[in-house]
Amino acid sequence: DKSMYEWLTFLGFEPIIIATKSDKIKPAQIAAHVDAIKKGLGAERDTLVVPFSSANKQGLDTVLDLLDQVLENEE
């Protein structure tokens, strides 16, 4: 994950991290896990990390909105 993040940023992209399995942690712990992900990747403070769960659909609207934004920019 870290190598992929570094490669993408080297190429000039601003990656969006979709952190799956968010249903496995308590809601009160999500912010701490997001911070740990950023620290582990060496990501910038403003890097977007979206907690996501396919089980309970947490973060689905955010991911779909982000995809819409990317696709609109490509048109």
Side-chain angles (χ1 to χ4, degrees):
D1 293 339
K2 184 171 179 158
S3 295
M4 179 62 72
Y5 179 82
E6 290 172 350
W7 181 63
L8 288 170
T9 56
F10 173 77
L11 293 174
F13 292 100
E14 295 179 27
I16 296 169
I17 312 302
I18 300 175
T20 61
K21 307 283 187 193
S22 65
D23 57 298
K24 302 293 182 187
I25 58 174
K26 295 177 184 172
Q29 296 175 326
I30 289 178
H33 282 265
V34 167
D35 289 342
I37 290 167
K38 288 181 183 182
K39 184 178 180 181
L41 292 174
E44 297 293 323
R45 193 173 188 94
D46 62 344
T47 298
L48 184 56
V49 177
V50 180
F52 182 82
S53 169
S54 61
N56 66 16
K57 308 297 186 226
Q58 176 186 3
L60 180 60
D61 290 338
T62 302
V63 171
L64 292 176
D65 288 344
L66 290 167
L67 286 172
D68 283 342
Q69 290 174 24
V70 169
L71 294 173
E72 285 176 5
N73 288 337
E74 292 298 317
E75 294 177 348

